[in-house]
DNA sequence: AACCGGTTTTA
DNA sequence: AAAACCGGT
């Protein structure tokens, strides 16, 4: 039995970990994480802090044996392999274009020194690239994808491997200070990180909120969602575990939850099949775009004068998370009311969301913008006032995030312009007229098609 | 067996 | 409007 390296990336857990089990079957295991300083710096502070906290939790669950090194993985991973005399390096397969390219470089560098690179499993219940149409092509429409995905099914989760012989090596001396700094500079309160905490959150959701999920998941004022996204993003939980937990559940809540997981898998598959669609239109649409810097800044900071939009944008900055209903409304506002190209918004979301997942985020944006999957409805323009009144009927979400409107009762918080004291606490006036910009957006779509 | 055309579907 | 399927060839 030789030595194997388990190189952790978006799979920061020990339970139900096919690549970890594979590494343990090869011999003694060195658990490794590599911080690429070129990625660590530019990420948002909340995102970096969440990764730091999750790494600390993983390290604790390994009794402090997680080895963290700094640098370009194509240099660091082979160097560590030499250092410990490893014969194989194990990973969960990556589907994002940047990760695919990085892994190609790392595997090539490992091959040069005679070390095998082995990918086992992926962060998805069904590996991207597996589900295909009857014609053998990747799906571009969600519903038939979801049907085929369900039909395909998924493996049962496995437990953490027991009796692993862990190999020890030094963590880079600079890492402690980096993790400390990330935790210290975190602008928000993060949930507790790590597998056990995620598991507790999930069980609580399943036992208390799942029955009403079908209805409550659309209400941003209600804690009606599972809040699993940040843990799913780093692989602290695997969707297979959640699906397994719901296997006996036939109610609307569980059905809808499975469908939401299917969206995540769909977008990962679309990204895998169309790597360029990460930052370019999946279906190029020659639209005229604006670059209104002041309005974009107002959108980012939550002072557009539209209550539900401002509440959402402030939740993003304050919590590192935004309710999905509001993600759609704020994305529609940037693209349809301000006529801004979707990557501007997608980049802002990715910088601040602790769950910021490239496929789900960017294809969610493209879905709203009309350049992505789900063809025709270019005319999908969300009315921010209607969205607010429909999904936050008593205004509680707006009052929570927009103190300037806290004095308005009930749905009045969505329409300060209708109340004498609506602007008594310096809430900004609307920066655009939605009815007018809606027509402008439709005119531009007409022009482009 | 890859391709065509008509029909249904598209959160 | 485009995708996916289905039943042909």
């Amino acid at each position: 039995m030789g030595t194997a390296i388990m190189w952790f990336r978006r799979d920061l857990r020990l339970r139900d970990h096919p690549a970890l089990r594979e590494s343990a079957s090869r011999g003694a295991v060195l658990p490794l994480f590599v911080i690429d300083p070129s990625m660590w710096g530019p990420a948002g502070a909340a995102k970096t802090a969440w990764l730091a906290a999750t790494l600390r939790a993983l390290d604790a669950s390994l009794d402090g044996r997680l080895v963290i090194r700094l640098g370009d993985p194509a240099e660091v991973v082979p160097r560590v392999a030499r250092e410990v005399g490893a014969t194989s390096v194990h990973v969960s397969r990556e589907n994002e274009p940047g990760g695919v390219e990085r892994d190609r470089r790392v595997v090539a560098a490992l091959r040069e020194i005679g070390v095998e690179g082995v990918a086992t499993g992926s962060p998805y219940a069904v590996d991207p690239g597996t589900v295909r149409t009857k014609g053998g092509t990747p799906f571009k429409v969600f519903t038939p994808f979801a049907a085929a995905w369900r039909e395909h099914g998924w493996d049962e989760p496995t437990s953490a491997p027991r009796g692993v012989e862990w190999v020890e090596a030094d963590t880079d001396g600079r890492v402690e200070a980096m993790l400390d700094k990330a935790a210290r500079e975190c602008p928000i309160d993060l949930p507790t990180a790590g597998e056990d905490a995620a598991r507790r959150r999930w069980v609580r959701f399943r036992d208390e909120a799942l029955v009403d999920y079908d209805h409550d998941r659309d209400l941003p004022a209600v804690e009606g969602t599972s809040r699993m996204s940040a843990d799913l993003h780093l692989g602290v939980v695997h969707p297979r575990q959640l699906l397994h937990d719901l296997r006996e559940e036939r109610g609307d809540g569980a059905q809808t939850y499975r469908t939401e997981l299917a969206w995540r898998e769909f977008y990962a598959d679309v990204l895998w099949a169309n790597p360029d669609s990460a930052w370019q239109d999946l279906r190029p649409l020659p639209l005229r775009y604006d670059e209104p810097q002041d309005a974009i800044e107002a959108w980012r900071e939550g002072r557009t004068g539209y209550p539900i939009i401002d509440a959402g944008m402030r939740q993003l900055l304050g919590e590192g998370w935004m309710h999905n209903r509001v993600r759609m409304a704020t994305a529609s506002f940037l693209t349809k009311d301000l006529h801004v190209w979707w990557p501007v918004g997608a980049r802002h979301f990715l910088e601040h969301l602790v769950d910021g997942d490239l496929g789900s985020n960017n294809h969610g944006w493209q879905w709203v913008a009309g350049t992505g999957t789900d063809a025709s409805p270019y005319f999908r323009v969300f009315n921010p006032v209607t969205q607010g009144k429909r999904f936050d009927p008593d205004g509680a979400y707006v009052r929570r995030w927009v103190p300037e409107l806290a004095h308005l009762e009930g749905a009045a918080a969505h329409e300060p312009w209708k109340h004498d004291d609506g602007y008594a606490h310096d809430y900004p006036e609307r920066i655009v007229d939605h009815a007018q910009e809606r027509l402008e957006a439709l005119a531009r779509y007409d022009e482009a098609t």
Side-chain angles (χ1 to χ4, degrees), chain A residues 216-225 227 308 315 321 323-326 387-388 390-393 396-398 400-401:
Chain A
D216 284 358
R217 78 195 166 92
D218 257 335
L219 308 177
V222 176
E223 270 298 317
T225 69
R227 295 274 187 157
I308 192 79
Q315 182 180 32
W321 186 84
H323 191 279
N324 186 57
R325 169 58 46 191
V326 191
Q387 287 284 310
R390 185 179 303 160
F391 296 108
D392 183 33
Y397 178 72
V398 163
R400 188 181 308 156
W401 288 104

Side-chain angles (χ1 to χ4, degrees), chain A residues 76-143:
Chain A
V76 173
V77 175
R79 192 185 311 139
V80 176
R82 271 221 165 102
E83 186 181 317
V84 299
T87 50
S88 59
V89 173
H90 297 264
V91 296
S92 305
R93 201 186 73 191
E94 182 53 70
N95 70 304
E96 296 182 353
V100 170
E101 169 58 18
R102 173 200 59 201
D103 289 355
R104 207 190 48 71
R105 287 174 39 229
V106 173
V107 168
L110 286 171
R111 194 178 305 123
E112 278 186 28
I113 59 168
V115 175
E116 188 188 2
V118 184
T120 313
S122 75
Y124 302 93
V126 180
D127 294 351
T130 306
V131 176
R132 298 282 94 138
T133 65
K134 299 230 160 107
T137 57
F139 282 96
K140 289 184 165 167
V141 176
F142 173 71
T143 304

